[in-house]
Amino acid sequence: MKRIAFILFLFSVFSGIAQEKEATEVGFKKRVLETTEVDFLSSYYQQDGIHSAVSGGSGTENLSDVTAAIVVAMPLSDDEILTADVGISAYSSASSSNINPFDTQNPTPWQSSSGASQSDQLATLALSYSASSDDRNTIWNAHISASKEYDYSSLGFGGGITKEFNDKNTELSLSASAYLDTWKPIYPKELQDFKDNGNNLNGGIFNYFTITGNTSYNPAQFTFHQDKNRNSYSVSLSLSQIITKKLQLSVFLDILQQQGLLSTPYQRVYFKDINPSFINDFQLANDIERLPDSRFKVPIGARLHYYINERMVLRTYYRFYSDNWGIQSHTANIELPVKISSKFTVFPMYRYYIQTASDYFAPINTHLSTEKYYTSDYDLSSFDANQYGFGINYTDIFTNAKVWKLGLKNIDFRYNHYDRSDGLQADIISLGIKFIMQ
């Protein structure tokens, strides 16, 4: 209740500032947003790989996800905009289904089980509010958000300010956000049953399967998590400058701090100094992923846009990232929109990414049981990745096409293929349609 009261207080402060400015307004003033805009967004994502973190760094990473969202931006006055974003995402995952692979007669890390963890849904709701000054050189904003899936929930809030100078040729933005998240931990089935049975092999799955290999299975290091919270805090600073009529540069710096349960409770780890135990082809976990309860991240980057001619614009992006878990990464992105008519634009895209491994990462059956922290999640490994894509954009500033009281303003279609050096491959298709209320 204290969090909700604080968020409502933020909104009342920002709303009061905007209303006070509106009351002192003199003369004509162009509205920040002329009429309500509605965006319908959807995407389909498919991936596969050979390094499932759920089964300790080996196994299928097959996953598919369908997402749909509606974003409505409403002018509250000449100066104020309220935006509501509602979304739902549904996924099916062969990898996460192996949290409990023992609901089949032949458990294996390479096939999907039929367990409840095979699929899940994520629901999200976000509200944001912005208020502009009379001269349009200052913009205040605040936001709140909430999301929920079976084993994870999140509450976020924040705000910021943007200032424009030099006849709007220079823009400086400062913002801060906080996300207060809670896990409902799900553990690998064999570890859960071992603890529930009083640290022995009588009961649960052990009554229905025969252990091979090391038949004295004893994951003595496994304990349940006591801290189930994950809190994230960030501060962002950006500066944008129009250098010439054709060149624009922007730079940004983010500072992020995470605290709490930062490991994933259902990701297995296997130790090389403990003889492996199996049920069929599935190796039984020695423990779950263990990571520090704090993480400090610093990304810094820049965007450079160059206007080539009336038909082409070059957009480039670079980011350097570093954290105190030992990961450093570089991201470079290039996009070349080409205007082929007054309404249609096509744009090829390419993105390159490379990172070093976390101090706590090692492949399957490589960690030692004497270590304090360990993970075999290949997202924390050393790898490089290439992403290729293209997009098509349709824009009609006169909104001639109409659906009920909505005029069609924009259609944006994108496809990207992602290829990672550790064998992970993914494809994503996204579609966005913007309407304005008439």
Side-chain angles (χ1 to χ4, degrees):
M1 291 300 294
K2 291 182 179 179
R3 295 176 185 168
I4 296 173
F6 175 70
I7 294 167
L8 293 175
F9 171 75
L10 280 179
F11 273 94
S12 66
V13 169
F14 285 123
S15 180
I17 293 172
Q19 290 173 5
E20 181 180 343
K21 291 180 179 179
E22 186 178 1
T24 60
E25 178 184 327
V26 178
F28 172 79
K29 180 168 54 177
K30 182 177 175 62
R31 294 169 68 89
V32 175
L33 182 66
E34 291 295 334
T35 187
T36 298
E37 296 184 349
V38 182
D39 286 280
F40 295 93
L41 309 173
S42 63
S43 68
Y44 174 75
Y45 175 84
Q46 173 73 46
Q47 74 167 41
D48 205 356
I50 58 173
H51 293 296
S52 169
V54 175
S55 48
S58 178
T60 178
E61 295 180 87
N62 185 268
L63 178 147
S64 60
D65 179 276
V66 178
T67 300
I70 299 177
V71 182
V72 181
M74 301 169 287
L76 301 180
S77 68
D78 289 348
D79 304 325
E80 301 168 289
I81 301 173
L82 178 66
T83 302
D85 184 342
V86 180
I88 186 167
S89 174
Y91 78 82
S92 175
S93 170
S95 177
S96 67
S97 73
N98 284 327
I99 296 171
N100 176 18
F102 308 107
D103 56 358
T104 65
Q105 292 301 312
N106 299 300
T108 169
W110 300 102
Q111 297 293 330
S112 172
S113 77
S114 57
S117 57
Q118 183 183 28
S119 61
D120 197 4
Q121 295 78 42
L122 169 67
T124 61
L125 171 63
L127 297 174
S128 61
Y129 167 86
S130 67
S132 299
S133 61
D134 290 341
D135 59 10
R136 301 296 184 254
N137 288 330
T138 304
I139 303 172
W140 293 90
N141 66 80
H143 65 84
I144 58 172
S145 64
S147 64
K148 174 68 177 176
E149 54 188 316
Y150 178 77
D151 63 335
Y152 202 82
S153 60
S154 177
L155 174 67
F157 55 89
I161 182 174
T162 298
K163 296 283 290 184
E164 293 187 343
F165 310 93
N166 303 330
D167 294 326
K168 300 187 181 298
N169 289 319
T170 305
E171 181 180 283
L172 181 65
S173 295
L174 176 66
S175 62
S177 297
Y179 292 91
L180 311 178
D181 305 343
T182 304
W183 282 96
K184 180 183 177 182
I186 304 172
Y187 299 98
K189 179 62 173 174
E190 67 272 30
L191 296 177
Q192 181 78 52
D193 283 3
F194 184 81
K195 283 298 181 183
D196 289 346
N197 296 332
N199 294 350
N200 63 64
L201 303 179
N202 297 317
I205 63 170
F206 306 111
N207 288 345
Y208 301 97
F209 294 95
T210 299
I211 297 176
T212 60
N214 177 13
T215 57
S216 300
Y217 177 61
N218 182 21
Q221 289 186 240
F222 171 68
T223 58
F224 295 118
H225 286 294
Q226 299 303 311
D227 183 5
K228 301 175 183 178
N229 296 322
R230 173 186 292 181
N231 298 333
S232 303
Y233 311 95
S234 66
V235 176
S236 300
L237 178 66
S238 66
L239 174 65
S240 177
Q241 177 66 49
I242 297 176
I243 300 174
T244 69
K245 291 181 178 180
K246 293 187 174 184
L247 187 63
Q248 181 181 14
L249 172 68
S250 60
V251 294
F252 64 87
L253 168 68
D254 298 327
I255 299 175
L256 303 96
Q257 176 70 42
Q258 289 184 299
Q259 295 176 328
L261 178 50
L262 305 185
S263 56
T264 303
Y266 49 76
Q267 294 187 169
R268 292 175 173 86
V269 170
Y270 304 109
F271 300 130
K272 72 175 182 179
D273 56 340
I274 296 178
N275 291 329
S277 302
F278 295 88
I279 290 180
N280 199 48
D281 291 335
F282 202 96
Q283 186 175 350
L284 304 182
N286 298 130
D287 198 5
I288 56 175
E289 176 182 79
R290 304 284 180 181
L291 293 169
D293 59 4
S294 67
R295 189 178 186 182
F296 183 72
K297 309 178 183 181
V298 180
I300 184 170
R303 293 179 177 88
L304 187 66
H305 293 178
Y306 181 73
Y307 177 84
I308 300 174
N309 55 44
E310 61 181 9
R311 291 190 176 274
M312 300 177 64
V313 177
L314 178 65
R315 298 174 180 170
T316 63
Y317 168 89
Y318 170 78
R319 187 189 78 155
F320 171 76
Y321 166 92
S322 180
D323 66 28
N324 63 345
W325 285 9
I327 293 179
Q328 290 190 343
S329 70
H330 302 270
T331 306
N333 189 85
I334 186 169
E335 184 177 307
L336 185 64
V338 179
K339 195 174 185 65
I340 59 177
S341 75
S342 61
K343 294 184 178 180
F344 286 95
T345 302
V346 297
F347 41 96
M349 299 170 283
Y350 172 71
R351 177 179 179 268
Y352 177 74
Y353 177 85
I354 187 170
Q355 75 169 37
T356 60
S358 167
D359 298 336
Y360 314 115
F361 171 82
I364 187 171
N365 294 319
T366 306
H367 282 293
L368 296 174
S369 59
T370 53
E371 297 173 18
K372 183 177 181 180
Y373 300 118
Y374 33 79
T375 179
S376 293
D377 183 350
Y378 271 71
D379 287 347
L380 300 179
S381 71
S382 174
F383 65 85
D384 61 84
N386 295 279
Q387 182 172 307
Y388 313 87
F390 72 91
I392 302 173
N393 183 277
Y394 168 85
T395 301
D396 182 359
I397 60 174
F398 299 107
T399 62
N400 291 321
K402 294 179 175 55
V403 178
W404 189 52
K405 295 183 178 180
L406 300 174
L408 176 61
K409 183 177 181 179
N410 180 269
I411 301 176
D412 189 86
F413 171 85
R414 299 184 181 221
Y415 166 76
N416 279 276
H417 175 75
Y418 178 78
D419 193 354
R420 207 159 84 175
S421 59
D422 65 356
L424 181 69
Q425 292 190 337
D427 296 278
I428 183 169
I429 298 172
S430 61
L431 176 67
I433 305 176
K434 181 187 289 290
F435 293 93
I436 65 171
M437 190 71 71
Q438 294 183 327

